[in-house]
Amino acid sequence: MLGLHMFPLIFAVNMIFLVFVKVELYILMDAATDMNVTWHVNAVLEVHRQLCPAEKYPHLMILPLSNQDLAHAVLPQIISEPTYTKTVSTYPIFVFGEAYFHSCNLYIIDRIDDLNTALWFEESVKFIYFYPKWMFDMVQNEPNFTITQAIRKGYHVVYDLDHTLQIYRWNRYSHQRTTIDPHNITVPDEMRDLYGYHIVMYCEDYISTVMTFDEYFLELIANKRNATVILTDKYSYELMDVMPLMNVKNMIFTWIVPSFGTTFIAVVVPRAKPKPIVSILFDPFDLYVWITYLVLVLTMAITISLFGKLLGRRRFMEIVLELIMMCLAGPSRAYGGTFENRIITLFCLMGIVLVSSYQSLIISFMSYVRYDSEINTLDEINEQCLFPDNNDAKFFNFKTFPNGSNPDTNFACRMQSARDNEQQTIMMRSKSIVDKHAYAADHHIRHRIENFRFAKTKFIEYPLCWLVKMHLRELFLFYVQAVFESGIYEYYYNNKTQPAWQYEHRTFVNQAVTTKDLLLLWYAYVVGMVVSMLCFAAETVVHKEFKGYVSY
């Protein structure tokens, strides 16, 4: 038997053992807690890594709005993860300009009201909600539709006090809640199956009936991803998902998707008209040749008037007319003297060459139809065109005519939004004509092709862009790239039957010359006769007065 003196020693040993066991239990509990915190952290980080790849979403915004102990324990480890840059704030901060559309956000919450700020972001923004399990029923049964919209935007990482973890996600296309295994986290690609989702494309009828590849492209996506395409010409931003843009002028939206085809602003200019037949009298030589010839005649006339022996006795204008007559039909007045004979002989030889060239060119010009120059360059547009007084003309600083006036068709030009090429643009324009006449569209096309054309100068030429809702943007980017790589856009239209509209200039003259064609020549003849008669009358009067003065 132990003596009484041993009881204090035994009591001390037992107390030391109990303290040691308690310390061990605390250590084990702390280790278990650390292990659970690490598991929660790894689960959140894995969801974030798969949902927001670092190359596309390099920044993570963290909103620590929870007062739970586990939330406080998780936060430092998430912040210390080095792959992403992070911003910690109790209020959403748009760190970058595109954060409103493309960012990743971690909400650590313990109240429903903490989700209100999630509605500030667009659908393309990624959300991860980390909250305790006792909130789960409140989240699922939230009566406020606005809060419900925010809830369905993100991935829900739900933890419990018994150290369990569940991950949920609401699929907007299947309208079902999916569960992700926290021990084998795989974020599903929701765009693989759209569960019959209606992709609504807004497009005017006159565009969709001509540019049929747009609808074909959507049907291609729908067939691959189990969706349905709805085409409408009634605009509603809330209902539509995609819309092709005919003009991207002044558009600074970052969410538009560039794709196949082109859009541009074209300048519709009048076609070059056939030149009048009288123009063949001036066209064989350019302006510089005529000026050179006139300078030569004047120089010869001055020289002969100063140093000529016989012809130099005539008046200056008579010498000029005689030189012109020499070039056309030979001398009509006597001339003599060594100097006068030599320079007139050389002038006549040059006249033979000049007149022969002139006559041969006139004969050639009379055999085919000649046209004025086409308007193509920017300088030609500025010089020869007049535009309606509207915003487009002011933007490009073109010359305009006042509203209400009708300029001559040879100068009237206009700006027009175009797509791909002139032929398809004409077809779209003809489809937009509201006229009960059965052949109104055909008449418009014929008039348009015969009288107008696109200048070669284009403005604001870009690839065709689509306005796509954010939740479908990644899907469209993928299939647009596929269309580019396959080349099916060009193949589609190149192998599609198109109307054979082609304007051709008349090459050869196959009609008789009429009085109307020579009207300008008749005008010149009549004016010349009137001037000659006036000169003859003036000369007669002056001669009589001079004769009377001499007699006096």
Side-chain angles (χ1 to χ4, degrees):
M1 294 182 64
L2 297 175
L4 293 176
H5 65 279
M6 295 297 293
F7 280 101
L9 179 61
I10 294 173
F11 178 77
V13 171
N14 288 334
M15 290 300 295
I16 293 172
F17 177 76
L18 290 174
V19 170
F20 177 78
V21 170
K22 189 174 183 179
V23 170
E24 288 292 333
L25 288 175
Y26 275 123
I27 293 174
L28 291 174
M29 290 176 63
D30 289 342
T33 302
D34 291 341
M35 185 179 298
N36 286 318
V37 169
T38 303
W39 182 44
H40 288 74
V41 170
N42 290 337
V44 172
L45 292 179
E46 181 61 22
V47 172
H48 174 234
R49 185 189 66 80
Q50 295 187 30
L51 183 63
C52 305
E55 61 273 10
K56 294 180 63 177
Y57 301 89
H59 189 81
L60 173 64
M61 184 183 298
I62 303 174
L63 286 85
L65 306 176
S66 175
N67 293 318
Q68 302 295 314
D69 293 337
L70 183 60
H72 291 302
V74 165
L75 181 60
Q77 297 190 40
I78 295 177
I79 295 175
S80 62
E81 197 277 330
T83 306
Y84 298 82
T85 60
K86 302 173 184 69
T87 298
V88 180
S89 173
T90 58
Y91 196 78
I93 300 174
F94 300 144
V95 180
F96 304 113
E98 294 187 356
Y100 180 74
F101 303 103
H102 306 94
S103 64
C104 206
N105 302 271
L106 172 60
Y107 276 64
I108 303 176
I109 59 176
D110 59 3
R111 295 185 307 126
I112 291 293
D113 294 340
D114 294 336
L115 296 171
N116 287 332
T117 56
L119 294 172
W120 297 356
F121 296 86
E122 284 291 332
E123 295 176 342
S124 57
V125 173
K126 309 296 184 181
F127 291 94
I128 301 173
Y129 302 132
F130 186 74
Y131 58 87
K133 187 175 182 180
W134 56 264
M135 277 186 60
F136 182 72
D137 292 336
M138 298 170 57
V139 169
Q140 298 304 312
N141 300 315
E142 172 60 37
N144 190 331
F145 179 72
T146 303
I147 299 297
T148 302
Q149 285 183 311
I151 291 171
R152 292 178 176 178
K153 281 186 174 184
Y155 285 76
H156 300 247
V157 180
V158 183
Y159 62 89
D160 197 2
L161 298 178
D162 59 358
H163 307 297
T164 59
L165 190 68
Q166 296 293 331
I167 303 175
Y168 303 101
R169 165 67 173 171
W170 176 264
N171 190 321
R172 65 177 299 169
Y173 304 109
S174 65
H175 302 287
Q176 295 178 351
R177 189 182 69 211
T178 58
T179 302
I180 300 174
D181 184 3
H183 299 281
N184 184 22
I185 298 174
T186 302
V187 174
D189 183 4
E190 297 177 353
M191 305 306 296
R192 285 188 174 275
D193 189 348
L194 300 183
Y195 294 93
Y197 178 81
H198 291 171
I199 302 177
V200 180
M201 181 179 77
Y202 166 75
C203 189
E204 296 286 353
D205 285 338
Y206 68 90
I207 298 178
S208 59
T209 54
V210 177
M211 309 304 295
T212 53
F213 185 84
D214 298 346
E215 186 176 2
Y216 170 78
F217 174 65
L218 289 183
E219 292 287 352
L220 178 66
I221 296 176
N223 291 335
K224 295 292 184 180
R225 299 302 174 100
N226 187 22
T228 304
V229 176
I230 297 179
L231 188 64
T232 179
D233 61 347
K234 296 180 180 179
Y235 179 80
S236 174
Y237 183 79
E238 291 75 17
L239 298 178
M240 76 171 189
D241 292 300
V242 297
M243 179 180 71
L245 300 174
M246 280 291 293
N247 187 0
V248 295
K249 176 185 174 184
N250 296 331
M251 286 197 176
I252 56 175
F253 306 126
T254 58
W255 61 85
I256 59 177
V257 177
S259 66
F260 37 80
T262 57
T263 60
F264 56 93
I265 295 180
V267 181
V268 182
V269 298
R271 287 193 181 276
K273 303 299 181 183
K275 290 184 176 181
I277 193 171
V278 179
S279 65
I280 62 175
L281 299 175
F282 310 101
D283 288 349
F285 299 143
D286 62 7
L287 182 62
Y288 297 104
V289 174
W290 290 115
I291 292 175
T292 303
Y293 178 71
L294 178 61
V295 171
L296 175 62
V297 170
L298 294 177
T299 304
M300 288 282 295
I302 293 172
T303 304
I304 292 174
S305 64
L306 293 176
F307 306 106
K309 184 176 181 180
L310 296 179
L311 198 58
R313 299 173 184 175
R314 303 289 180 177
R315 296 187 181 91
F316 180 77
M317 287 304 300
E318 290 180 341
I319 298 174
V320 171
L321 293 175
E322 180 62 22
L323 291 173
I324 295 175
M325 288 299 298
M326 287 180 185
C327 189
L328 296 177
S332 61
R333 298 177 184 271
Y335 63 92
T338 303
F339 176 74
E340 203 172 81
N341 287 338
R342 289 181 178 178
I343 63 172
I344 290 178
T345 300
L346 291 174
F347 182 77
C348 290
L349 289 174
M350 191 199 71
I352 292 172
V353 177
L354 192 68
V355 171
S356 299
S357 302
Y358 182 77
Q359 290 176 344
S360 62
L361 289 173
I362 285 180
I363 294 172
S364 300
F365 286 172
M366 291 183 68
S367 62
Y368 69 93
V369 181
R370 293 169 304 109
Y371 290 82
D372 292 322
S373 60
E374 299 281 10
I375 302 174
N376 281 313
T377 65
L378 182 59
D379 291 337
E380 291 171 346
I381 293 172
N382 282 318
E383 292 174 2
Q384 303 181 38
C385 278
L386 288 176
F387 290 85
D389 189 10
N390 53 28
N391 293 331
D392 287 335
K394 293 177 181 177
F395 179 81
F396 293 104
N397 198 25
F398 289 142
K399 292 184 294 185
T400 62
F401 57 90
N403 288 329
S405 61
N406 295 316
D408 187 89
T409 55
N410 291 331
F411 301 97
C413 304
R414 66 179 184 273
M415 312 291 290
Q416 182 177 355
S417 296
R419 183 166 168 186
D420 285 357
N421 53 56
E422 183 175 7
Q423 181 173 338
Q424 290 178 333
T425 305
I426 293 174
M427 292 175 63
M428 287 189 290
R429 176 61 180 167
S430 66
K431 299 294 183 181
S432 66
I433 296 176
V434 180
D435 195 328
K436 295 181 180 180
H437 193 278
Y439 300 100
D442 293 337
H443 291 167
H444 167 79
I445 293 172
R446 185 179 300 108
H447 177 267
R448 166 66 173 76
I449 292 177
E450 290 178 355
N451 295 280
F452 298 94
R453 52 179 286 275
F454 278 178
K456 292 183 179 180
T457 299
K458 303 175 183 178
F459 301 99
I460 313 180
E461 185 174 9
Y462 283 94
L464 172 68
C465 292
W466 291 75
L467 184 63
V468 183
K469 287 290 185 65
M470 284 301 180
H471 66 97
L472 295 175
R473 177 180 172 83
E474 297 294 331
L475 184 65
F476 264 74
L477 287 173
F478 174 80
Y479 279 100
V480 164
Q481 184 64 29
V483 170
F484 271 124
E485 294 177 358
S486 64
I488 61 174
Y489 182 76
E490 293 78 10
Y491 178 84
Y492 180 88
Y493 284 113
N494 290 339
N495 290 273
K496 185 178 180 181
T497 302
Q498 300 284 356
W501 297 331
Q502 186 174 0
Y503 179 81
E504 295 182 357
H505 285 168
R506 290 185 295 124
T507 304
F508 298 102
V509 177
N510 55 2
Q511 61 184 17
V513 178
T514 63
T515 304
K516 182 179 179 181
D517 296 329
L518 298 176
L519 194 59
L520 182 61
L521 188 60
W522 289 113
Y523 285 154
Y525 176 75
V526 171
V527 171
M529 291 296 295
V530 171
V531 172
S532 299
M533 293 173 64
L534 292 176
C535 292
F536 176 75
E539 185 178 350
T540 302
V541 172
V542 172
H543 180 70
K544 287 182 178 180
E545 291 182 355
F546 179 75
K547 186 176 181 180
Y549 175 77
V550 172
S551 299
Y552 178 77

